[in-house]
């Protein structure tokens, strides 16, 4: 018994438990110290053998037929020999081409009787890699290799160009490995850029281009209209972290800034960014300045536009920031930026962390913004924010600002009512049910009315995307109804672009455009050479993922959809999943592009409207 208690005492050290001392254990049990310690050590050693994993014992492995294993190895070897560069095992990681992955997936379907372990042994592939390839979408794309440290930009001679083109036409690997193959195996001293230019000039490879920046960044500067200090305030919240006793607490710093003077007039530290935080910060601003502003600008977060906020504002007009224009709140965002630069991390140690975290955060924020308000500004002739706010305004300025802000608010309200009257009541009722099910806050129906103005397919796809992210836990922190609105808006733009491209493709097909004639001939060849519908769809999916032009991919999507649409649900659904699986095995295409191609195919095969 003494050894048992001593063993328990050692195991209880990292846990918040109170155990008796060694002397108390020995006195109570009558054991000797040396023997008790020896027995305690033996007890701890035997504890490991007392536990066993939960579940059934592993089944005895079934030995694979030797002739089947040999046939699989032969097919893999023949494929690798006829497709140079499709598989490469390096010192740190292996690299496989999309063609090789699709071959392995098809080979696994033909030899489904083999266990996964036996199939992995026959193909010399890791079992975990095979599980990833055979899993349904979505799988992350494999990372590429590193570029060589130095590249020479010498122009290739005619013979070098012909060698590069001939090698690339039979190459199945990625572009980085091909460049390494050209330099090391073909002995051609050409850099990556030169090789890329050669392939692009002969239309053998078209590289992807990144999107540029917005062109209206400079044109929309200085578009915020300001009046006089005290006329318009701007409010927003910021996450503030406090660490106490190695435990992190997340607080919300709600700040109110005057638009004209950039003075921080009110603030509040609350557990969450909600309507109570807005009301507390606004009341603090009224106490600081002694008067209420004409208008308060807040973003479109649903908690900023509740009845509680409107009651707390009183005569102050409540304004909404323009969606997608973070510059509307530049005054408060700039203050947050200075706060983040000058205030160090708040790390404390105490036995009462909850209340102290909020109190310390409040004190730090008050000290910072009070010092900021009294600091002289070079752009305002040395006057501080307090000096600027104290200048006041004439009665005529107050009347002009009140009239201009009232007109702006009325114009926004009239536009909102007009949009609401044009909405489909069926869509509105559907959104009411969805918002209740997803527990999304929208007390004034502002977000729902905006969503209801989009087409039905974008709304349905957006809700499905949001719900899936919510169930998988991949929604960003603080995601609310506005996040759903952003998803619907982006999908609508995507669908609109898809419709335009479909119209272009339809016109080209009807006119038998010379650019589509090779695709039509290839489609006819695939249909004629395929023994069944599944094989034809596999070839069409491979052509779709191998295409580098958007119109080519749309052509193959239309071809696959035309073959799937006439089938009943029992045949159509498995074949659609088969095509989607081959699309998601094309790791050379970015994950978002693979998702987009799958979504376009499903929307065509199973339309809503």
């Amino acid at each position: 018994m003494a050894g048992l208690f001593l063993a328990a005492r050692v195991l209880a050290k990292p846990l918040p438990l109170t155990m008796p001392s060694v002397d108390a254990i020995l006195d109570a049990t009558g054991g000797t110290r040396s023997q008790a310690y020896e027995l305690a050590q033996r007890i701890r050693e035997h504890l490991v053998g007392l536990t066993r994993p939960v579940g059934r014992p592993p089944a005895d492995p079934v030995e694979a037929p030797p002739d089947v294993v040999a046939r699989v190895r032969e097919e893999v070897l023949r494929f690798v020999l006829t497709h140079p560069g499709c598989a490469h095992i390096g010192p740190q990681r292996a690299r496989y081409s999309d063609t090789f992955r699709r071959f392995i997936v098809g080979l696994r379907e033909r030899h489904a009787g083999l266990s996964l372990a036996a199939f992995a042994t026959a193909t010399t592939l890791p079992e975990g890699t095979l599980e990833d390839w055979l899993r349904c979408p979505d799988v992350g794309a494999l990372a590429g290799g590193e570029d060589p440290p130095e590249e020479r930009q010498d122009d290739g001679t005619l013979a070098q160009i012909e060698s590069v083109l001939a090698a690339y036409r039979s190459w199945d690997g990625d572009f980085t490995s091909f460049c390494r193959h050209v330099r090391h195996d073909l002995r051609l001293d050409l850099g990556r850029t030169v090789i890329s230019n050669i392939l692009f000039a002969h239309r053998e490879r078209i590289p992807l281009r990144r999107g540029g920046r917005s062109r209206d960044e400079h044109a929309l500067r200085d578009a915020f209209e300001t009046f006089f200090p005290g006329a318009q305030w701007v409010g927003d919240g910021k996450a503030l972290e406090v660490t106490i006793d190695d435990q992190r607490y997340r607080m919300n710093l709600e700040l109110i800034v005057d638009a004209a003077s950039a003075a921080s007039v009110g603030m509040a530290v609350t557990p969450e960014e909600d309507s109570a935080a807005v009301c507390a910060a606004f009341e603090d601003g009224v106490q600081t300045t002694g008067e209420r502003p004409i208008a308060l600008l807040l973003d479109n977060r649903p908690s900023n536009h509740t009845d509680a906020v409107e009651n707390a504002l009183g005569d102050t007009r409540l304004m909404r920031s323009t969606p997608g224009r973070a510059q509307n709140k530049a005054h408060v965002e700039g203050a947050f930026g200075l706060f983040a630069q000058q205030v160090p991390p708040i790390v404390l140690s105490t036995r009462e962390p909850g209340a102290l975290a909020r109190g310390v955060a409040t004190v730090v924020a008050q000290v910072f913004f009070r010092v900021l308000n009294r600091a002289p500004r070079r752009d305002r002739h040395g006057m501080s924010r307090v000096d600027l706010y104290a200048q006041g305004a004439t009665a005529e300025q107050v009347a002009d600002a009140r009239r201009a802000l009232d007109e702006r608010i009325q114009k926004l309200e009239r536009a909102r009512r007009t949009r609401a009257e044009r909405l489909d009541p069926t869509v509105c009722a559907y959104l009411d049910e969805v918002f209740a099910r997803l527990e999304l806050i929208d007390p004034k129906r502002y977000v729902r009315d905006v969503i209801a103005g989009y087409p039905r397919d974008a709304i349905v796809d957006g809700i499905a995307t949001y719900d899936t992210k919510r169930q998988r836990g991949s929604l960003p922190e603080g995601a609310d109804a506005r996040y759903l609105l952003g998803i619907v808006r982006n999908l609508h733009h995507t669908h609109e672009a898809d419709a335009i491209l479909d119209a272009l493709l339809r016109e080209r097909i009807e006119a038998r455009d010379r650019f589509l004639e090779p695709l039509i001939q290839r489609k006819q060849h695939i249909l004629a050479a395929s023994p069944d519908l599944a094989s034809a769809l596999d070839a069409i999916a491979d052509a779709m993922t191998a295409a580098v032009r958007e119109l080519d991919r749309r052509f193959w999507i239309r071809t696959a959809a035309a073959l799937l649409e006439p089938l009943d649900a029992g045949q159509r659904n498995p074949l659609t999943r088969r095509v989607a699986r081959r699309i998601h095995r094309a790791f050379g295409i970015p994950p978002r592009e693979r998702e987009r191609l799958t979504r376009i195919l499903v929307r065509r095969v199973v339309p809503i409207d």
Side-chain angles (χ1 to χ4, degrees):
M1 291 182 62
L4 178 62
F5 285 130
L6 290 179
R9 189 174 184 273
V10 174
L11 297 175
K13 279 185 178 181
L15 303 176
L17 299 175
T18 302
M19 302 296 292
S21 63
V22 176
D23 295 335
I25 292 175
L26 297 178
D27 292 341
T29 58
T32 60
R33 184 179 296 270
S34 59
Q35 187 177 9
Y37 272 110
E38 181 181 355
L39 290 174
Q41 177 65 27
R42 293 171 60 185
I43 289 174
R44 290 199 302 271
E45 293 175 353
H46 283 291
L47 284 178
V48 180
L50 295 179
T51 59
R52 58 176 295 178
V54 180
R56 299 180 180 178
D60 295 333
V62 179
E63 187 173 355
D67 57 335
V68 178
V69 174
R71 188 160 56 252
V72 171
R73 289 178 177 172
E74 181 182 356
E75 292 188 41
V76 174
L77 178 60
R78 184 181 297 110
F79 185 88
V80 172
L81 292 176
T82 55
H83 296 78
C86 66
H88 172 72
I89 300 178
Q92 296 180 351
R93 66 184 306 165
R95 304 171 63 86
Y96 309 99
S97 69
D98 293 341
T99 307
F100 183 76
R101 278 188 288 269
R102 288 194 293 266
F103 164 75
I104 292 296
V105 171
L107 186 64
R108 177 58 179 167
E109 293 176 355
R110 296 197 301 272
H111 298 282
L114 285 178
S115 66
L116 186 62
F119 186 78
T121 303
T123 58
T124 67
L125 291 173
E127 188 172 346
T129 302
L130 281 176
E131 291 178 349
D132 289 341
W133 294 1
L134 298 174
R135 190 179 299 122
C136 286
D138 176 17
V139 185
L142 296 178
E146 297 181 354
D147 292 338
E150 295 182 359
E151 293 185 353
R152 295 187 57 184
Q153 305 298 328
D154 299 334
D155 295 332
T157 63
L158 183 59
Q160 291 174 335
I161 294 175
E162 293 296 336
S163 300
V164 171
L165 295 177
Y168 191 78
R169 289 175 183 136
S170 61
W171 182 259
D172 279 329
D174 60 277
F175 182 67
T176 302
S177 299
F178 177 73
C179 294
R180 190 180 302 112
H181 168 69
V182 170
R183 285 188 294 270
H184 293 196
D185 300 332
L186 301 183
R187 303 296 183 181
L188 298 179
D189 191 12
L190 300 178
R192 179 186 178 122
T193 304
V194 175
I195 298 174
S196 177
N197 292 339
I198 292 174
L199 297 177
F200 177 75
H202 292 79
R203 293 297 185 267
E204 295 292 340
R205 176 180 178 270
I206 300 179
L208 299 177
R209 302 296 184 186
R210 295 182 179 179
R213 295 186 176 181
S214 174
R215 300 180 180 180
D216 61 351
E217 294 179 354
H218 299 283
L220 294 179
R221 288 184 177 179
D222 301 328
F224 192 98
E225 183 179 4
T226 58
F227 300 95
F228 52 85
Q232 186 177 11
W233 290 354
V234 182
D236 196 9
K238 173 182 174 59
L240 187 64
E241 290 188 352
V242 180
T243 303
I244 299 180
D245 293 336
D246 298 330
Q247 186 173 358
R248 302 175 67 181
Y249 296 87
R250 191 180 184 88
M251 300 292 170
N252 172 61
L253 172 59
E254 197 74 24
L255 181 64
I256 304 292
V257 176
D258 178 63
S261 62
S264 304
V265 296
M267 55 148 293
V269 177
T270 58
E272 298 179 357
E273 184 178 359
D274 51 13
S275 57
V278 177
C279 297
F282 181 78
E283 292 298 332
D284 183 61
V286 174
Q287 294 179 5
T288 302
T289 61
E291 57 183 358
R292 296 173 179 267
I294 299 176
L296 173 63
L297 176 68
L298 299 174
D299 60 23
N300 291 277
R301 189 182 184 91
S303 60
N304 293 339
H305 301 275
T306 61
D307 294 336
V309 174
E310 293 181 354
N311 295 333
L313 295 184
D315 296 336
T316 299
R317 279 75 164 170
L318 178 59
M319 298 185 63
R320 289 174 171 269
S321 63
T322 305
R325 290 284 297 160
Q327 296 89 332
N328 287 162
K329 302 180 298 178
H331 316 83
V332 66
E333 295 292 349
F336 281 146
L338 293 176
F339 180 85
Q341 293 176 6
Q342 299 188 22
V343 177
I346 305 174
V347 180
L348 302 173
S349 177
T350 179
R351 295 184 178 273
E352 300 177 359
L356 186 60
R358 181 176 178 180
V360 171
T362 302
V363 172
V364 171
Q366 287 178 345
V367 170
F368 170 79
F369 290 113
R370 287 179 181 178
V371 173
L372 180 66
N373 285 342
R374 297 188 178 277
R377 302 182 58 182
R378 290 184 296 178
D379 59 338
R380 297 298 182 93
H381 306 288
M383 300 180 65
S384 66
R385 292 171 170 83
V386 175
D387 298 333
L388 293 170
Y389 199 93
Q391 289 181 349
T394 63
E396 182 178 0
Q397 289 177 324
V398 173
D400 292 342
R402 193 183 303 276
R403 183 172 56 257
L405 291 173
D406 284 341
E407 291 177 357
R408 189 177 306 172
I409 294 174
Q410 292 173 5
K411 181 179 179 181
L412 294 174
E413 184 63 23
R414 286 196 301 269
R416 188 193 66 81
R417 287 199 301 265
T418 301
R419 290 193 301 267
E421 292 172 356
R422 299 174 179 174
L423 298 178
D424 186 351
T426 305
V427 176
C428 294
Y430 171 66
L431 287 175
D432 292 340
E433 297 175 0
V434 170
F435 270 56
R437 172 166 54 88
L438 300 179
E439 299 180 353
L440 295 175
I441 301 176
D442 186 23
K444 299 296 184 179
R445 297 191 58 87
Y446 289 130
V447 180
R448 276 173 287 181
D449 289 347
V450 176
I451 294 177
Y454 286 96
R456 293 183 179 183
D457 56 349
I459 296 175
V460 173
D461 290 357
I463 292 173
T465 303
Y466 182 92
D467 194 16
T468 303
K469 287 179 173 289
R470 182 178 65 89
Q471 295 177 5
R472 290 179 173 270
S474 59
L475 284 174
E477 186 176 358
D480 52 13
R482 294 177 300 165
Y483 189 81
L484 173 59
L485 172 60
I487 295 177
V488 174
R489 182 190 301 115
N490 293 338
L491 288 178
H492 167 64
H493 294 327
T494 302
H495 293 173
E496 189 176 28
D498 293 343
I500 293 174
L501 285 173
D502 286 343
L504 292 174
L505 183 61
R506 183 174 58 254
E507 292 298 326
R508 286 173 176 259
I509 292 177
E510 292 176 356
R512 288 296 189 268
D513 190 281
R514 67 181 62 182
F515 298 114
L516 289 179
E517 190 63 30
L519 297 179
I520 297 174
Q521 295 177 0
R522 186 178 179 186
K523 180 189 76 171
Q524 296 173 352
H525 175 72
I526 289 175
L527 296 179
S530 300
D532 51 22
L533 181 58
S535 301
L537 289 173
D538 288 347
I540 291 172
D542 295 345
M544 180 198 313
T545 55
V548 295
R549 300 178 180 85
E550 180 64 19
L551 284 177
D552 294 359
R553 290 179 178 175
R554 291 311 180 95
F555 176 86
W556 294 117
I557 290 177
R558 288 173 61 92
T559 303
L563 296 176
L564 292 170
E565 287 174 355
L567 304 177
D568 54 49
Q571 294 177 314
R572 182 177 61 241
N573 294 344
L575 290 176
T576 303
R577 291 180 181 274
R578 180 173 181 146
V579 175
R581 188 179 294 111
R582 295 186 77 89
I583 293 175
H584 280 271
R585 294 290 77 76
F587 293 161
I589 302 177
R592 287 191 176 182
E593 179 65 13
R594 299 199 299 266
E595 294 174 1
R596 188 180 70 88
L597 294 176
T598 306
R599 186 169 59 249
I600 295 173
L601 175 65
V602 174
R603 287 179 61 233
R604 284 187 165 277
V605 176
V606 188
I608 295 178
D609 293 334

